[in-house]
Amino acid sequence: MLRNFLNIALRNLWKHKLFSVINVFGLASGLTVCLLALAHIKGAFDYDTFHPNRDRTYRILTDVVSLENNVSPFATTPQPLGNVLKQQYGFVDETARVVRTYGDFLGNHKRLTVMSFAVDPGFFRIFGFKLAKGLPATQPNTVVLTPETAEKFFGTANPIGKLLQHTELGSLTVTGVLAKQVTKSHLVFDMLIALKESSQSQPANAAWENYFPGHTYVLLKEGTPVDALDKALPAIVSRATQDLHFKKIKGYSFRTQPLNHISPGREELMYGTYEPQIAGLLAEFGVGLVTLLLAAFNYINLTLARSLSRAREVGIRKVSGAVRWQLIGQFMGESVTFSLLALGLAVVMLELVKPMPFVQQWLIGGVKWDWTIWITFILFSIIAGLLAGIVPARILSGFEPAQVLRSQTGLRTLRGISLRKSLIVAQFTISLVAMISLLTMIRQMDYMATGDYGFRRERILTIPTNDVPVQRLTNELNRLAGVERVATSSELLGSQGGNLRWVKRNRSKMDSSLSFMSSVNHQFIPAMNLTLLAGQNLPVSSTDTSGRLVVINEEAVKVFRLGSPQEAVGQSLWLNDSTEVTIAGVVKDFRFTTFHIPIKPLMLRSVPSQFRYVTVSIAAGAETAVLTDIQRVWKRLSPYEPFTGQWYNNFLEELHTHSTDTDFMGLLIGLAFSIAYMGLLGMVTYTTQSRVKEVGIRKVMGAEVRQIIWLLSRDFVRLLLIAGAIALPLGYLGGYAFLVHFAYHVSIGIETLGLCFAVLLVLGSLTIGLRTYRAALANPSDSLRSE
């Protein structure tokens, strides 16, 4: 029987080639997206599987109770907890603290910003991060690097024994290079630094007030139940906090989280790590199911559209003695056959999208492609085939042979506002909503890359200084012909905005407000064409003492209630209750951060030790010559390091244009639209074929080609219009849900909604028009010959 079902399925597949291609391609497209989601889900459960003793390793979480009795879970703990557990509880084998560090690192004449953690020596006993060479960083002022970081700093040279410099941590000696990771971990880093002994001593009770400095991991001794640790944690909290008086919270408690339960994340944690979250995985799988649902719609739609010919087949088989369950098995077998063929094509499509950067970074990077994932793919494909075929199977197998063979009416449910029409509307609605959302994202990225920030970006070259002396570099650049100004700064405008600091209007009052801080020299304001509203520019200085004079923006004047810009000049502000600064001038507001946040208070001061970038403004027409001269100067000052200068326009474009994300989303939407249009093509083809005699009669009676085209296509055009009417408001809401995260964003108007709707109509009309035009040109004698 199974062989019979397979033979019939293959025969029908070959007989109706167009419908078979549409169904197989549609199901393959949907399966491709689902397979990516399934691979990512499997990869989420593969996180941290390379660590030894993961069954007795735990991370300590902190549940913080607010004054309103709201509980917020933190992935971090107070820093003394690790030492207390290790020193006072015998069932604890090892503990490790993992503390995030910030700032640039300088090594081998390169200054790089990398992801770094300071860790206890126990880190290398608890976790299974192997070393490719050297020793772990267990001694003070030592560091181990990942292979990628070692290559960035030192190229192909051996990094062991080399030095890295950090502003706060000082000089660090590289003792080892980690082996390349195959499986992902919830801990993502570029280097691991030994936590200093001074920070490991038992701190004062005040250290227990800070519950977010770092993560604490515990390795229990073999045979120790986790209940022992769970019972010890409340006692530790009670002793440590009995003399503390919290101002912003009521208190906190600790709980354990097994290492093998960290990924995928079951809850949103404050100061969390980098494991995938259940909600995100479900959303990805939902996208895959929606795409597969579109393909299933096609299968149902086309199968039901061919109901007339299949109805006769059902009638004959029932007259011959077939029962309903046998017919259902036949149709379900055909559906599974289509699905397995689609799986083969989906695997090919999966191999084509695997190299995409977005796919590698966010979806399948680090996934173990073992037999379990292939079994999952096959089972999922079979289930998808069964679900896609169940509706046609139940409907077609229910035909009564007497009615079908007598009247040949086919499937009555396809008349009027039928199932097939609803499926077509659903397909195009989903595709159009996705297109509007993607176009909104692209327009917002383009707006952030090309919009008006309020500062000069044309003919501006930025140069990271690395370890080249800033003053020497600026002196050399000032001598070049075509250079207008040479400015220095600690940050690049349009990126992160600088460091956030608490600033007080009055030292003795509780009136602190956060302000962004950037260090610039006296050339920066004129070089970037910033407008000075009141006061004067920063003075010329080569020492940090000039940092006592600052220039602020209009927003800072408002936040600190300094009156008008003119009145603000000469007034004082306090940094960290200890440093008094005087306002030298006020600049007009400009967007110095990304468009995610509105304009905030900004303070510009001259602290030469913090300068990291040189910004060169160049005269019109001299860009090429000056760039060549600057590269020559750089080669002379830093002969072993490549020149990494960048035009400001290019910097903003690279910062805000995420082409890998949009490429992948474009691929998904392209698949969705291709499924929808191929389904529409199949329906139009079947409709024109089933009405070929009607077309012949109308032509004989004198109907024109354009009238016949309209007769055959008007129902489908109406469906496109209905889909557009439903999708436009939904697409607007989808686009707005993305834009609401930006303080400054584009609008969703006719340029977005109209363009997407026009694409829908044009492509849909071409799909419908080409098929109906061919049918309208057919010779009526060919279609009426048998009559």
Side-chain angles (χ1 to χ4, degrees):
M1 183 179 293
L2 292 176
R3 181 179 179 182
N4 185 40
F5 287 167
L6 180 60
N7 288 335
I8 295 174
L10 294 176
R11 191 180 301 123
N12 277 303
L13 186 148
W14 183 255
K15 181 178 179 181
H16 305 283
K17 298 182 182 63
L18 176 61
F19 299 118
S20 300
V21 169
I22 291 173
N23 282 327
V24 171
F25 177 80
L27 289 173
S29 300
L31 282 174
T32 301
V33 183
C34 286
L35 297 187
L36 284 172
L38 287 173
H40 190 201
I41 292 172
K42 180 188 181 297
F45 287 94
D46 287 340
Y47 269 53
D48 298 305
T49 53
F50 62 94
H51 297 307
N53 306 315
R54 59 196 298 262
D55 57 328
R56 54 190 180 99
T57 303
Y58 298 86
R59 179 170 68 176
I60 309 300
L61 306 181
T62 305
D63 289 325
V64 180
V65 182
S66 68
L67 298 177
E68 296 79 20
N69 291 321
N70 297 320
V71 179
S72 300
F74 282 70
T76 53
T77 66
Q79 195 160 337
L81 178 61
N83 279 339
V84 170
L85 286 169
K86 185 175 181 179
Q87 296 170 4
Q88 300 181 12
Y89 293 90
F91 56 79
V92 174
D93 190 3
E94 188 61 85
T95 63
R97 291 166 297 174
V98 179
V99 181
R100 178 79 166 91
T101 59
Y102 298 89
D104 296 339
F105 289 84
L106 178 64
N108 195 29
H109 311 290
K110 298 178 182 178
R111 186 182 300 276
L112 301 175
T113 301
V114 296
M115 179 80 73
S116 57
F117 286 108
V119 299
D120 286 322
F123 178 92
F124 298 95
R125 284 196 57 204
I126 294 177
F127 296 103
F129 295 103
K130 302 297 184 182
L131 288 172
K133 61 176 71 174
L135 300 172
T138 57
Q139 299 300 318
N141 299 321
T142 59
V143 59
V144 295
L145 310 177
T146 63
E148 296 80 8
T149 307
E151 184 177 356
K152 288 179 182 178
F153 275 111
F154 304 105
T156 58
N158 185 4
I160 305 299
K162 301 292 179 62
L163 297 180
L164 296 177
Q165 300 292 332
H166 187 271
T167 306
E168 298 178 0
L169 302 176
S171 180
L172 305 171
T173 303
V174 179
T175 61
V177 177
L178 295 168
K180 187 174 181 62
Q181 282 183 235
V182 178
T183 305
K184 287 189 175 181
S185 171
H186 73 285
L187 291 172
V188 178
F189 51 84
D190 297 310
M191 62 173 61
L192 296 173
I193 306 165
L195 207 57
K196 291 185 178 180
E197 289 293 337
S198 59
S199 65
Q200 296 182 8
S201 60
Q202 182 66 32
N205 285 340
W208 290 94
E209 293 184 11
N210 187 0
Y211 45 83
F212 45 81
H215 308 278
T216 300
Y217 296 88
V218 179
L219 176 65
L220 300 181
K221 290 184 177 179
E222 291 188 14
T224 302
V226 68
D227 293 344
L229 180 58
D230 290 332
K231 293 177 181 178
L233 292 176
I236 295 175
V237 173
S238 178
R239 291 196 306 268
T241 62
Q242 61 182 350
D243 296 327
L244 296 179
H245 301 284
F246 297 105
K247 296 179 181 178
K248 297 182 179 180
I249 64 172
K250 284 188 175 181
Y252 57 75
S253 60
F254 298 137
R255 59 186 167 97
T256 58
Q257 182 184 35
L259 179 62
N260 50 18
H261 286 179
I262 291 180
S263 178
R266 277 74 168 176
E267 59 181 327
E268 291 288 341
L269 299 174
M270 302 294 291
Y271 294 92
T273 42
Y274 298 91
E275 64 275 6
Q277 298 297 314
I278 284 287
L281 295 176
L282 292 177
E284 292 172 12
F285 193 59
V287 172
L289 288 181
V290 168
T291 310
L292 185 60
L293 186 62
L294 296 179
F297 282 172
N298 272 359
Y299 184 84
I300 297 171
N301 208 352
L302 295 176
T303 303
L304 295 181
R306 291 166 48 213
S307 60
L308 181 59
S309 60
R310 301 311 298 269
R312 292 168 180 164
E313 175 188 343
V314 170
I316 294 173
R317 288 178 65 85
K318 280 193 172 183
V319 169
S320 301
V323 294
R324 187 172 185 182
W325 70 265
Q326 291 174 319
L327 295 172
I328 291 177
Q330 174 194 329
F331 291 123
M332 297 289 279
E334 291 181 14
S335 176
V336 172
T337 301
F338 274 108
S339 184
L340 291 177
L341 290 173
L343 176 62
L345 180 58
V347 171
V348 174
M349 297 171 69
L350 188 63
E351 292 297 324
L352 294 177
V353 301
K354 267 185 180 181
M356 294 182 67
F358 181 91
V359 174
Q360 283 294 324
Q361 181 177 1
W362 299 109
L363 295 178
I364 63 174
V367 175
K368 295 180 180 177
W369 293 87
D370 51 20
W371 65 270
T372 60
I373 197 169
W374 294 111
I375 293 295
T376 303
F377 287 172
I378 294 173
L379 291 177
F380 183 82
S381 176
I382 293 174
I383 293 173
L386 293 174
L387 293 177
I390 191 169
V391 173
R394 288 184 59 84
I395 293 177
L396 296 177
S397 65
F399 290 163
E400 293 296 334
Q403 180 185 8
V404 170
L405 297 177
R406 180 180 66 250
S407 62
Q408 299 181 354
T409 54
L411 188 62
R412 292 186 178 277
T413 56
L414 293 181
R415 297 181 178 180
I417 303 299
S418 62
L419 176 62
R420 65 186 177 91
K421 294 180 180 179
S422 301
L423 296 181
I424 290 176
V425 171
Q427 284 180 319
F428 282 100
T429 298
I430 295 172
S431 300
L432 186 56
V433 169
M435 176 184 276
I436 293 172
S437 302
L438 177 62
L439 182 58
T440 302
M441 292 177 60
I442 293 175
R443 290 187 62 239
Q444 176 63 22
M445 292 178 185
D446 181 69
Y447 173 59
M448 292 189 295
T450 61
D452 182 14
Y453 282 78
F455 57 81
R456 176 180 172 180
R457 50 189 292 175
E458 301 293 336
R459 304 191 312 279
I460 295 289
L461 187 69
T462 64
I463 308 171
T465 58
N466 295 331
D467 66 338
V468 174
V470 175
Q471 190 60 48
R472 183 179 178 186
L473 179 60
T474 55
N475 291 339
E476 294 284 347
L477 298 181
N478 274 316
R479 298 190 183 100
L480 300 179
V483 171
E484 296 176 338
R485 295 180 184 274
V486 180
T488 54
S489 64
S490 60
E491 303 288 338
L492 292 178
L493 299 182
S495 56
Q496 303 305 316
N499 296 321
L500 272 173
R501 297 275 295 275
W502 287 102
V503 179
K504 281 188 174 184
R505 173 69 179 88
N506 298 290
R507 183 179 186 181
S508 59
K509 294 183 179 180
M510 300 298 293
D511 57 357
S512 298
S513 295
L514 282 172
S515 176
F516 283 94
M517 295 277 186
S518 287
S519 296
V520 301
N521 71 346
H522 66 285
Q523 293 282 8
F524 188 81
I525 291 177
M528 302 303 293
N529 284 357
L530 304 182
T531 303
L532 200 62
L533 299 178
Q536 58 186 2
N537 191 8
L538 295 172
V540 179
S541 177
S542 59
T543 63
D544 290 355
T545 56
S546 59
R548 298 284 181 163
L549 292 175
V550 299
V551 172
I552 62 175
N553 64 350
E554 293 177 282
E555 183 64 20
V557 174
K558 297 176 185 177
V559 169
F560 294 111
R561 298 183 296 277
L562 300 174
S564 66
Q566 290 75 19
E567 294 171 339
V569 174
Q571 297 192 50
S572 298
L573 296 172
W574 288 87
L575 311 181
N576 299 331
D577 297 334
S578 59
T579 304
E580 182 182 16
V581 294
T582 302
I583 300 172
V586 178
V587 295
K588 184 178 179 180
D589 279 341
F590 63 97
R591 297 169 183 171
F592 57 92
T593 63
T594 65
F595 284 10
H596 285 85
I597 61 176
I599 295 175
K600 297 292 185 180
L602 173 66
M603 184 176 294
L604 302 176
R605 53 197 299 233
S606 180
V607 184
S609 62
Q610 298 179 2
F611 292 159
R612 298 290 182 267
Y613 299 92
V614 170
T615 302
V616 185
S617 61
I618 301 172
E623 297 91 340
T624 303
V626 172
L627 178 60
T628 301
D629 292 338
I630 292 176
Q631 290 173 335
R632 189 180 301 113
V633 169
W634 180 268
K635 188 66 175 177
R636 187 169 65 252
L637 298 180
S638 184
Y640 302 107
E641 295 304 319
F643 178 73
T644 56
Q646 191 176 27
W647 296 106
Y648 224 101
N649 279 334
N650 296 337
F651 163 72
L652 292 176
E653 183 175 358
E654 291 181 7
L655 181 65
H656 298 296
T657 304
H658 307 289
S659 59
T660 57
D661 298 0
T662 55
D663 288 347
F664 183 70
M665 287 196 62
L667 173 65
L668 295 183
I669 294 173
L671 290 176
F673 264 105
S674 64
I675 294 170
Y677 283 118
M678 291 190 74
L680 179 63
L681 174 63
M683 285 303 305
V684 174
T685 301
Y686 179 80
T687 300
T688 55
Q689 289 176 355
S690 63
R691 301 177 69 178
V692 65
K693 289 183 173 60
E694 176 190 347
V695 171
I697 293 172
R698 289 182 180 274
K699 292 193 71 173
V700 169
M701 298 298 293
E704 299 180 2
V705 172
R706 59 181 178 85
Q707 292 174 319
I708 295 176
I709 292 176
W710 176 243
L711 174 70
L712 296 176
S713 62
R714 61 187 179 186
D715 287 342
F716 294 104
V717 174
R718 188 180 298 116
L719 295 180
L720 295 180
L721 294 176
I722 294 174
I726 297 174
L728 289 179
L730 293 179
Y732 178 88
L733 294 176
Y736 184 77
F738 170 74
L739 295 179
V740 74
H741 299 289
F742 297 88
Y744 309 101
H745 55 74
V746 297
S747 60
I748 305 177
I750 191 67
E751 70 284 342
T752 301
L753 301 178
L755 177 60
C756 293
F757 188 53
V759 170
L760 172 73
L761 287 181
V762 170
L763 294 181
S765 299
L766 288 174
T767 303
I768 298 168
L770 291 176
R771 299 302 297 182
T772 55
Y773 180 71
R774 289 181 59 186
L777 291 179
N779 190 339
S781 63
D782 295 333
S783 58
L784 300 176
R785 181 177 303 156
S786 62
E787 300 296 325

